[in-house]
Amino acid sequence: MNNNEVYYIILEDCVLLSKKKYNDWHEIQDEYYDKFKTSIGPMTYEDLITYFEDDFGDENKWPLRKENIIDFFESTEEILYSDRF
């Protein structure tokens, strides 16, 4: 598993993971100003999985599928979107 860290970003109409490096949450808010609700991070793969397990329980209720999260961490992609929330 790649050692990347991500930000979990919650917008009004979707959630996303971003590998982009931010100095603080204000930068994220500025980037998604029209739909920003909140963000958490940076988080490692393990942090994110633990957060989803604690917050959502059953994997079927997660906003992002575990297999997509694994693929994202192993990819060179910078953003992963989901409208499953």
Side-chain angles (χ1 to χ4, degrees), residues 6-12 14-18 20 22-32 35-43 48 51-52:
V6 300
Y7 288 86
Y8 174 51
I9 302 170
I10 301 171
L11 305 177
E12 288 180 11
C14 67
V15 298
L16 61 93
L17 297 181
S18 175
K20 195 171 178 181
Y22 296 99
N23 290 316
D24 59 32
W25 67 270
H26 296 282
E27 288 184 9
I28 301 169
Q29 184 180 35
D30 290 346
E31 185 168 340
Y32 298 100
K35 297 181 180 187
F36 180 82
K37 290 178 99 177
T38 193
S39 63
I40 304 167
M43 302 172 83
L48 183 64
Y51 174 78
F52 281 173

Side-chain angles (χ1 to χ4, degrees), residues 17-77:
L17 297 181
S18 175
K19 291 179 185 172
K20 195 171 178 181
K21 302 300 180 205
Y22 296 99
N23 290 316
D24 59 32
W25 67 270
H26 296 282
E27 288 184 9
I28 301 169
Q29 184 180 35
D30 290 346
E31 185 168 340
Y32 298 100
Y33 66 93
D34 57 336
K35 297 181 180 187
F36 180 82
K37 290 178 99 177
T38 193
S39 63
I40 304 167
M43 302 172 83
T44 64
Y45 168 79
E46 292 80 8
D47 294 336
L48 183 64
I49 295 303
T50 299
Y51 174 78
F52 281 173
E53 288 171 344
D54 292 347
D55 219 43
F56 299 102
D58 183 355
E59 188 177 330
N60 290 325
K61 297 178 183 175
W62 293 15
L64 295 151
R65 299 184 192 281
K66 191 172 188 176
E67 66 188 61
N68 297 121
I69 295 169
I70 292 169
D71 291 345
F72 179 65
F73 269 87
E74 293 177 346
S75 77
T76 58
E77 297 295 316

